[in-house]
C-alpha cells in the first residue's frame, strides 16, 4: 500500500495553512451531503460520489461550524499566548472558552452579561452565519454563566469536540493532548469525547515531527490507551481494517462519525488507506454520516503533513473564508514562530511595551483575555 508521508521540508506556517485550508476544503466538500445517506449521495453525484463543491448555504465552497469553531480555537490560542507574553499568567482553556462564546454570539446566542465581544474575528459578517451548529456546543455555551473555562455539565461525546481542536496540535509545543481534552471538555462532558479530541491533537502534533502518518497515529495513541475504552476499540478496528488495504468506501463497521471516536476512526482509516490526499477526502465525505466533520479531520491531517500544495487550486479559489484563514495563520505564525504577521510586520522580538506600535496593533486584534 502506498504510504503518504509527512513532508519534512515544511515550515510551521506551511503546516498550519495546510491544516486550516485542508480542513476547510474537507468541510465544504462534505457540507452539502452532511445529512444524506451514501446511497443518496451516489444517486445524486454519480458512482464516485461528491468530489467537487456543490451548493450549500447558498453558495459553492461554503464552510460549516467545524471550520468556524476551528478558527475560533486558533484565535483563542493566539490570545492565550498574547496574555502569557504580557501578563505572565494564563489558563489557555479559559481563553479558548471565551473565543467559543464569541462564536456563540455569531450564531445569535447571548453570551453572559458583561461579556465583551472584542478582537476582529467575530466581527466579520462572513462568520456571522449559522451553518448547522451542534446543539451540544450551543447548549453548553448557553449555560456558561460565570463558569467560563469550566468543563461542560453534560454527558455528550458528539463529534463537536474533536472537530475543532486540530490547531492545538501545531501551536502547542507541550501537552497538546491535555489541552485538547480540556478544550473539548468545555462543551462535551463525556470522557470519550475529550480523549478522542486529545488523541487527535496529539496525532497532529506528531505529524509535525515525524514522517509516517501511521506511526504518528500510534505514537499519539500508545500513552493514552485505557483512558477511553470506546476510543481504543474504535482506533484498533480502524488499524485492523486498514491492514486489509484500500477499499471503495469507508467500512460501515466504523460507524457514521456523529460521535467522537467514530469520527476519529473514520479519519484514521481514510488517511491510512487512501493512495493520495484528495482521495482520502473523497472517501471521508461519501459516507452515511457526518460528512463535513470527517472531511474536516482528514483535510486537517493531510494539511498538517503536506501543507496546502495538494489541494486542487479550483477548490481553493471557491473556498469561503480563504482570506480569513490566511490572515489568521500568518498572525499565529507571528506570535508562535516569529514570522511576519498578516500585515507583513516583523515579529516584535518579545517587546510588548506600549511604545512598540506593532505590539499594540496586535493586542487590539487579539486582546489577551
Ligand atoms: Mg458541521
Amino acid at each position: 500500500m502506498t504510504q503518504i508521508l509527512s513532508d519534512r521540508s515544511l515550515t510551521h506556517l506551511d503546516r498550519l495553512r495546510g491544516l486550516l485550508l485542508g480542513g476547510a476544503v474537507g468541510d465544504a466538500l462534505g457540507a452539502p451531503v452532511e445529512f444524506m445517506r451514501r446511497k443518496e449521495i451516489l444517486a445524486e453525484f454519480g458512482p464516485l460520489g461528491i468530489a467537487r463543491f456543490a451548493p450549500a448555504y447558498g453558495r459553492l465552497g461554503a464552510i460549516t461550524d467545524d471550520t468556524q469553531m476551528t478558527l475560533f480555537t486558533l484565535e483563542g490560542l493566539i490570545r492565550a499566548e498574547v496574555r502569557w507574553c504580557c501578563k505572565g499568567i494564563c489558563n489557555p482553556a479559559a481563553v479558548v472558552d471565551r473565543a467559543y462564546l464569541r462564536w456563540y454570539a455569531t450564531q445569535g446566542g447571548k453570551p453572559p452579561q458583561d461579556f465583551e465581544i472584542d478582537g476582529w474575528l467575530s466581527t466579520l459578517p462572513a462568520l456571522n452565519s449559522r451553518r448547522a451548529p451542534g446543539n451540544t456546543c450551543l447548549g453548553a455555551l448557553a449555560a456558561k454563566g460565570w463558569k467560563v473555562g469550566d468543563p461542560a455539565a453534560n454527558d455528550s461525546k458528539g463529534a463537536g469536540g474533536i472537530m475543532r481542536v486540530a490547531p492545538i496540535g501545531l501551536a502547542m509545543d507541550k501537552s497538546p493532548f491535555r489541552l485538547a481534552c480540556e478544550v473539548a471538555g468545555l462543551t462535551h462532558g463525556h470522557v470519550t469525547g475529550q480523549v478522542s479530541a486529545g488523541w487527535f491533537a496529539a496525532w497532529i502534533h506528531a505529524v509535525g515531527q515525524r514522517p509516517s502518518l501511521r506511526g504518528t497515529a500510534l505514537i499519539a495513541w500508545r500513552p493514552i490507551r485505557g483512558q477511553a475504552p470506546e476510543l481504543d476499540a474504535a482506533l484498533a478496528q480502524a488499524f485492523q481494517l486498514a491492514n486489509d488495504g484500500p477499499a471503495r468506501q469507508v467500512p460501515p463497521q466504523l460507524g457514521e462519525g456523529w460521535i467522537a471516536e467514530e469520527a476519529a476512526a473514520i479519519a484514521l482509516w481514510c488517511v491510512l488507506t487512501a493512495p493520495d490526499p484528495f482521495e482520502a477526502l473523497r472517501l471521508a465525505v461519501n459516507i452515511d454520516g457526518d460528512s463535513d466533520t470527517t472531511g474536516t479531520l482528514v483535510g486537517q491531517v493531510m494539511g498538517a503533513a503536506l501543507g496546502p500544495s495538494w489541494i486542487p487550486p479550483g477548490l481553493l479559489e471557491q473556498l469561503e473564508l480563504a482570506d480569513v484563514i490566511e490572515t489568521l495563520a500568518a498572525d499565529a505564525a507571528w506570535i508562535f514562530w516569529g514570522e511576519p504577521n498578516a500585515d507583513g510586520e516583523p515579529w516584535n522580538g518579545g517587546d510588548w511595551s506600549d511604545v512598540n506600535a506593532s505590539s499594540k496593533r496586535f493586542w487590539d486584534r487579539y486582546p489577551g483575555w
Side-chain angles (χ1 to χ4, degrees):
M1 189 173 10
T2 350
Q3 262 207 48
I4 300 167
L5 296 177
S6 180
D7 180 349
R8 309 315 301 147
S9 70
L10 297 179
T11 64
H12 292 298
L13 178 56
D14 292 334
R15 290 192 197 282
L16 183 60
R17 291 178 61 232
L19 179 150
L20 296 172
L21 292 168
V25 165
D27 186 19
L29 204 57
V33 298
E34 178 180 5
F35 301 107
M36 289 166 76
R37 308 294 294 177
R38 177 176 161 84
K39 223 159 82 178
E40 296 169 316
I41 301 173
L42 301 196
E44 184 159 341
F45 296 97
L48 288 176
I50 191 165
R52 64 173 79 163
F53 290 153
Y57 306 104
R59 61 165 291 162
L60 288 177
I63 55 86
T64 80
D65 59 333
D66 302 55
T67 297
Q68 290 174 342
M69 293 197 79
T70 300
L71 298 182
F72 277 96
T73 300
L74 183 56
E75 191 219 29
L77 295 174
I78 295 172
R79 289 174 62 149
E81 189 68 13
V82 169
R83 180 172 182 80
W84 182 251
C85 291
C86 295
K87 311 265 182 194
I89 182 167
C90 180
N91 170 358
V95 180
V96 172
D97 209 8
R98 284 194 269 280
Y100 292 156
L101 283 170
R102 287 188 289 280
W103 169 78
Y104 179 59
T106 67
Q107 304 300 292
K110 263 199 176 348
Q113 237 185 345
D114 296 339
F115 181 84
E116 201 186 328
I117 305 284
D118 53 12
W120 71 287
L121 192 62
S122 56
T123 63
L124 299 173
L127 272 161
N128 282 261
S129 179
R130 283 174 77 98
R131 302 292 168 84
N135 285 331
T136 303
C137 288
L138 294 175
L141 291 166
K144 283 287 164 187
W146 296 107
K147 295 185 181 159
V148 176
D150 282 5
N154 63 37
D155 197 30
S156 173
K157 56 171 183 169
I162 190 172
M163 77 188 190
R164 61 178 198 241
V165 297
I168 295 172
L170 292 184
M172 293 291 110
D173 291 339
K174 280 191 223 138
S175 313
F177 169 77
R178 202 172 58 198
L179 181 58
C181 288
E182 265 184 80
V183 161
L186 296 168
T187 53
H188 289 67
H190 195 292
V191 67
T192 300
Q194 297 166 14
V195 175
S196 300
W199 167 78
F200 190 67
W203 185 20
I204 294 278
H205 184 75
V207 163
Q209 320 257 319
R210 292 160 189 263
S212 162
L213 298 187
R214 185 175 192 282
T216 48
L218 282 167
I219 284 171
W221 184 25
R222 205 169 292 133
I224 60 159
R225 263 185 225 204
Q227 292 195 26
E230 292 168 319
L231 174 68
D232 292 341
L235 295 184
Q237 193 175 31
F239 275 114
Q240 173 95 45
L241 290 165
N243 285 339
D244 298 342
R248 290 161 56 103
Q249 67 180 87
V250 174
Q253 304 95 294
L254 294 177
E256 299 189 354
W258 298 109
I259 49 178
E261 74 271 30
E262 289 183 3
I266 291 170
L268 177 61
W269 182 90
C270 293
V271 168
L272 295 186
T273 59
D276 69 74
F278 192 74
E279 176 65 4
L281 270 197
R282 194 190 62 77
L283 284 163
V285 298
N286 286 289
I287 61 172
D288 280 342
D290 196 354
S291 302
D292 59 330
T293 294
T294 50
T296 297
L297 298 182
V298 168
Q300 289 173 335
V301 176
M302 289 302 176
L306 303 170
S309 59
W310 58 276
I311 304 170
L315 296 190
L316 272 185
E317 274 161 32
Q318 292 173 326
L319 179 66
E320 185 182 26
L321 295 184
D323 52 340
V324 173
I325 288 172
E326 294 285 6
T327 300
L328 201 60
D331 284 345
W334 185 84
I335 192 151
F336 290 116
W337 308 304
E339 298 193 26
N341 68 16
D343 295 327
E345 293 174 330
W347 185 52
N348 68 358
D351 174 10
W352 288 91
S353 63
D354 279 355
V355 289
N356 186 322
S358 68
S359 297
K360 273 183 81 129
R361 276 196 296 277
F362 201 80
W363 174 281
D364 287 343
R365 289 162 64 70
Y366 302 96
W369 46 65

Coordinates of all heavy atoms in Angstrom, one line a residue, residues 65-114:
D65 N -19.9 24.9 10.7 CA -19.5 25.2 12.1 C -18.1 24.5 12.4 O -17.4 25.0 13.3 CB -20.6 24.7 13.1 CG -20.9 23.2 12.9 OD1 -20.7 22.6 11.8 OD2 -21.3 22.6 13.9
D66 N -17.8 23.4 11.7 CA -16.5 22.8 12.0 C -15.3 23.8 11.8 O -14.4 23.9 12.6 CB -16.3 21.6 11.1 CG -17.4 20.5 11.3 OD1 -18.6 20.9 11.2 OD2 -17.1 19.4 11.6
T67 N -15.4 24.4 10.6 CA -14.3 25.4 10.3 C -14.4 26.7 11.2 O -13.4 27.2 11.7 CB -14.3 25.8 8.8 OG1 -14.1 24.6 8.1 CG2 -13.3 26.8 8.5
Q68 N -15.7 27.1 11.3 CA -15.9 28.3 12.2 C -15.2 28.1 13.6 O -14.4 28.9 14.1 CB -17.4 28.6 12.4 CG -18.1 29.1 11.2 CD -19.6 29.2 11.4 OE1 -20.1 28.6 12.4 NE2 -20.3 30.0 10.6
M69 N -15.5 27.0 14.2 CA -15.1 26.7 15.6 C -13.6 26.4 15.6 O -12.9 26.8 16.6 CB -15.8 25.6 16.2 CG -17.3 26.0 16.5 SD -18.1 24.9 17.7 CE -17.5 25.6 19.2
T70 N -13.0 25.8 14.5 CA -11.6 25.6 14.4 C -10.9 27.0 14.4 O -9.8 27.2 15.1 CB -11.2 24.8 13.2 OG1 -11.9 23.5 13.2 CG2 -9.7 24.6 13.1
L71 N -11.4 27.9 13.7 CA -10.8 29.3 13.6 C -10.9 30.0 15.0 O -9.9 30.6 15.4 CB -11.5 30.1 12.5 CG -11.4 29.6 11.1 CD1 -12.1 30.6 10.1 CD2 -9.9 29.4 10.7
F72 N -12.0 29.8 15.7 CA -12.1 30.4 17.0 C -11.2 29.7 18.0 O -10.7 30.4 18.9 CB -13.6 30.4 17.5 CG -14.3 31.6 16.9 CD1 -15.1 31.5 15.8 CD2 -14.2 32.8 17.5 CE1 -15.8 32.6 15.3 CE2 -14.9 33.9 17.0 CZ -15.7 33.8 15.9
T73 N -10.9 28.4 17.8 CA -9.9 27.8 18.7 C -8.6 28.4 18.5 O -7.9 28.8 19.4 CB -9.8 26.3 18.3 OG1 -11.0 25.6 18.5 CG2 -8.7 25.6 19.2
L74 N -8.2 28.6 17.2 CA -6.9 29.3 16.9 C -6.9 30.7 17.4 O -5.8 31.1 18.0 CB -6.6 29.2 15.4 CG -5.2 29.7 15.0 CD1 -4.1 29.0 15.8 CD2 -5.0 29.6 13.5
E75 N -7.9 31.4 17.3 CA -8.0 32.8 17.8 C -7.8 32.8 19.3 O -7.0 33.6 19.9 CB -9.3 33.5 17.5 CG -9.3 35.0 17.8 CD -10.6 35.5 18.4 OE1 -11.3 34.7 19.1 OE2 -11.0 36.6 18.2
G76 N -8.4 31.8 20.0 CA -8.2 31.7 21.4 C -6.8 31.4 21.8 O -6.2 31.9 22.8
L77 N -6.2 30.5 21.0 CA -4.8 30.1 21.3 C -3.8 31.3 21.2 O -2.9 31.5 22.0 CB -4.3 29.0 20.4 CG -5.0 27.6 20.6 CD1 -4.5 26.7 19.5 CD2 -4.7 27.0 22.0
I78 N -4.1 32.1 20.1 CA -3.3 33.3 19.9 C -3.4 34.3 21.1 O -2.5 34.8 21.6 CB -3.7 34.0 18.6 CG1 -3.3 33.1 17.4 CG2 -2.9 35.4 18.5 CD1 -3.9 33.7 16.0
R79 N -4.7 34.5 21.5 CA -5.0 35.4 22.6 C -4.4 34.9 23.9 O -4.0 35.7 24.7 CB -6.5 35.7 22.6 CG -6.9 36.6 21.4 CD -8.4 36.8 21.4 NE -8.9 37.5 22.5 CZ -10.0 38.3 22.4 NH1 -10.6 38.5 21.3 NH2 -10.4 38.9 23.5
A80 N -4.4 33.6 24.1 CA -3.8 33.0 25.3 C -2.3 33.3 25.3 O -1.7 33.6 26.3 CB -4.1 31.5 25.3
E81 N -1.7 33.2 24.1 CA -0.2 33.4 24.0 C 0.1 34.9 24.3 O 1.0 35.3 25.0 CB 0.3 33.0 22.7 CG 1.8 33.0 22.5 CD 2.6 32.0 23.3 OE1 1.9 31.1 23.9 OE2 3.8 32.1 23.5
V82 N -0.8 35.8 23.7 CA -0.6 37.2 24.0 C -0.7 37.5 25.5 O 0.1 38.2 26.1 CB -1.7 38.1 23.3 CG1 -1.7 39.5 23.7 CG2 -1.5 38.0 21.7
R83 N -1.7 36.8 26.1 CA -1.9 37.0 27.6 C -0.6 36.5 28.3 O -0.2 37.2 29.2 CB -3.1 36.2 28.0 CG -3.4 36.4 29.5 CD -4.7 35.8 30.0 NE -4.8 36.0 31.4 CZ -5.2 37.1 31.9 NH1 -5.5 38.1 31.2 NH2 -5.3 37.3 33.2
W84 N -0.1 35.4 27.9 CA 1.0 34.8 28.6 C 2.2 35.8 28.5 O 2.9 36.0 29.4 CB 1.3 33.4 28.0 CG 2.5 32.8 28.6 CD1 3.7 32.6 28.1 CD2 2.5 32.2 29.9 NE1 4.5 31.9 29.0 CE2 3.8 31.7 30.1 CE3 1.6 32.1 31.0 CZ2 4.2 31.1 31.3 CZ3 2.0 31.5 32.2 CH2 3.3 31.0 32.3
C85 N 2.4 36.3 27.2 CA 3.6 37.2 27.0 C 3.4 38.5 27.8 O 4.4 39.0 28.3 CB 3.6 37.6 25.5 SG 4.1 36.2 24.4
C86 N 2.2 39.0 27.9 CA 2.0 40.3 28.6 C 1.8 40.2 30.1 O 2.2 41.1 30.8 CB 0.8 41.1 27.9 SG 1.2 41.5 26.2
K87 N 1.1 39.2 30.5 CA 0.8 39.1 31.9 C 1.5 38.0 32.7 O 1.5 38.0 33.9 CB -0.7 38.8 32.1 CG -1.7 39.6 31.2 CD -2.2 40.8 32.0 CE -3.1 41.6 31.1 NZ -3.4 42.9 31.7
G88 N 2.1 37.1 32.0 CA 2.9 36.0 32.6 C 2.0 35.0 33.4 O 2.5 34.2 34.1
I89 N 0.7 35.1 33.1 CA -0.2 34.1 33.8 C -1.4 33.8 32.8 O -1.9 34.8 32.2 CB -0.7 34.6 35.1 CG1 -1.6 33.5 35.8 CG2 -1.4 35.9 35.0 CD1 -1.8 33.8 37.3
C90 N -1.7 32.6 32.7 CA -2.8 32.3 31.7 C -3.3 30.9 31.8 O -2.6 29.9 32.1 CB -2.2 32.4 30.3 SG -3.4 32.1 29.0
N91 N -4.6 30.7 31.7 CA -5.3 29.4 31.6 C -5.8 29.3 30.2 O -6.8 29.9 29.9 CB -6.4 29.4 32.6 CG -7.3 28.1 32.4 OD1 -7.1 27.3 31.5 ND2 -8.3 27.9 33.3
P92 N -5.0 28.6 29.3 CA -5.4 28.7 27.9 C -6.8 28.2 27.6 O -7.5 28.7 26.7 CB -4.4 27.7 27.2 CG -3.3 27.5 28.2 CD -3.8 27.8 29.6
A93 N -7.3 27.2 28.3 CA -8.6 26.6 28.1 C -9.7 27.7 28.3 O -10.7 27.8 27.6 CB -8.9 25.4 28.9
A94 N -9.5 28.5 29.4 CA -10.4 29.6 29.7 C -10.4 30.6 28.6 O -11.5 31.2 28.2 CB -10.1 30.2 31.0
V95 N -9.3 30.9 28.0 CA -9.2 31.9 27.0 C -9.9 31.4 25.7 O -10.6 32.1 25.0 CB -7.7 32.3 26.7 CG1 -7.7 33.4 25.6 CG2 -7.1 32.9 27.9
V96 N -9.7 30.1 25.4 CA -10.4 29.5 24.3 C -11.9 29.4 24.5 O -12.7 29.6 23.6 CB -9.8 28.0 24.0 CG1 -10.6 27.3 22.9 CG2 -8.3 28.1 23.6
D97 N -12.3 29.2 25.8 CA -13.7 29.2 26.1 C -14.3 30.6 25.7 O -15.5 30.7 25.2 CB -13.9 28.9 27.6 CG -15.3 28.2 27.8 OD1 -15.9 27.8 26.8 OD2 -15.6 28.0 29.0
R98 N -13.6 31.6 26.0 CA -14.1 33.0 25.7 C -14.2 33.1 24.1 O -15.1 33.8 23.6 CB -13.3 34.1 26.3 CG -13.5 34.2 27.8 CD -13.0 35.5 28.3 NE -11.6 35.3 28.8 CZ -11.3 34.8 30.0 NH1 -12.3 34.4 30.8 NH2 -10.1 34.7 30.4
A99 N -13.3 32.5 23.4 CA -13.3 32.5 21.9 C -14.6 31.8 21.5 O -15.3 32.3 20.6 CB -12.1 31.9 21.3
Y100 N -15.0 30.7 22.2 CA -16.2 30.0 21.8 C -17.4 30.8 22.1 O -18.5 30.7 21.4 CB -16.3 28.6 22.5 CG -15.2 27.7 22.0 CD1 -14.8 26.6 22.8 CD2 -14.6 27.8 20.7 CE1 -13.8 25.7 22.4 CE2 -13.7 26.9 20.3 CZ -13.2 25.9 21.1 OH -12.3 25.0 20.7
L101 N -17.4 31.6 23.2 CA -18.5 32.5 23.5 C -18.7 33.6 22.4 O -19.8 34.0 22.1 CB -18.3 33.2 24.9 CG -18.6 32.2 26.0 CD1 -18.2 32.9 27.4 CD2 -20.1 31.8 26.1
R102 N -17.5 34.0 21.8 CA -17.7 35.0 20.7 C -18.3 34.2 19.5 O -19.1 34.8 18.8 CB -16.3 35.5 20.3 CG -15.8 36.6 21.3 CD -14.5 37.3 20.9 NE -13.4 36.4 20.9 CZ -12.6 36.1 21.9 NH1 -13.0 36.6 23.1 NH2 -11.6 35.3 21.8
W103 N -17.9 33.0 19.2 CA -18.5 32.2 18.2 C -20.0 32.1 18.5 O -20.8 32.2 17.6 CB -17.9 30.8 18.1 CG -18.7 29.9 17.2 CD1 -18.7 29.9 15.8 CD2 -19.6 28.9 17.6 NE1 -19.6 29.0 15.3 CE2 -20.2 28.3 16.4 CE3 -20.1 28.4 18.8 CZ2 -21.1 27.3 16.4 CZ3 -21.0 27.4 18.8 CH2 -21.5 26.9 17.6
Y104 N -20.3 31.8 19.7 CA -21.7 31.6 20.1 C -22.5 32.9 19.8 O -23.7 32.8 19.3 CB -21.8 31.3 21.6 CG -23.1 31.1 22.2 CD1 -24.0 30.2 21.8 CD2 -23.5 32.0 23.3 CE1 -25.2 30.0 22.4 CE2 -24.7 31.8 23.9 CZ -25.6 30.8 23.4 OH -26.8 30.7 24.0
A105 N -21.9 34.0 20.0 CA -22.6 35.3 19.7 C -22.8 35.4 18.1 O -23.8 35.9 17.7 CB -21.7 36.5 20.2
T106 N -21.9 34.9 17.3 CA -22.1 34.9 15.9 C -23.2 34.1 15.4 O -23.8 34.2 14.3 CB -20.8 34.5 15.1 OG1 -20.6 33.1 15.3 CG2 -19.6 35.3 15.4
Q107 N -23.6 33.1 16.3 CA -24.7 32.2 16.0 C -26.1 32.8 16.5 O -27.1 32.1 16.5 CB -24.5 30.8 16.6 CG -23.2 30.2 16.1 CD -23.1 30.1 14.6 OE1 -23.8 29.3 14.0 NE2 -22.2 30.8 14.0
G108 N -26.0 34.0 17.0 CA -27.2 34.6 17.5 C -27.4 34.3 19.0 O -28.4 34.7 19.6
G109 N -26.5 33.6 19.7 CA -26.6 33.3 21.1 C -26.3 34.6 21.9 O -25.6 35.5 21.4
K110 N -26.7 34.5 23.2 CA -26.5 35.7 24.1 C -25.4 35.2 25.1 O -25.7 34.4 26.0 CB -27.7 36.0 24.9 CG -28.5 37.1 24.3 CD -29.5 37.7 25.3 CE -30.3 38.9 25.0 NZ -30.0 39.6 23.8
P111 N -24.1 35.7 25.0 CA -23.1 35.4 26.0 C -23.5 36.0 27.3 O -24.4 36.8 27.4 CB -21.8 36.0 25.4 CG -22.1 36.4 24.0 CD -23.6 36.6 23.9
P112 N -22.8 35.6 28.4 CA -23.1 36.1 29.8 C -23.1 37.6 29.8 O -22.4 38.2 29.0 CB -22.0 35.5 30.6 CG -21.4 34.4 29.9 CD -21.7 34.6 28.4
Q113 N -23.8 38.2 30.7 CA -23.8 39.6 30.9 C -22.4 40.1 31.1 O -21.6 39.5 31.7 CB -24.6 39.9 32.2 CG -25.8 40.8 31.9 CD -26.5 41.2 33.2 OE1 -26.3 40.6 34.2 NE2 -27.3 42.3 33.1
D114 N -22.2 41.3 30.5 CA -20.9 42.0 30.7 C -19.8 41.3 29.9 O -18.6 41.7 30.0 CB -20.4 42.1 32.1 CG -21.4 43.0 33.0 OD1 -22.1 43.8 32.3 OD2 -21.4 42.8 34.2

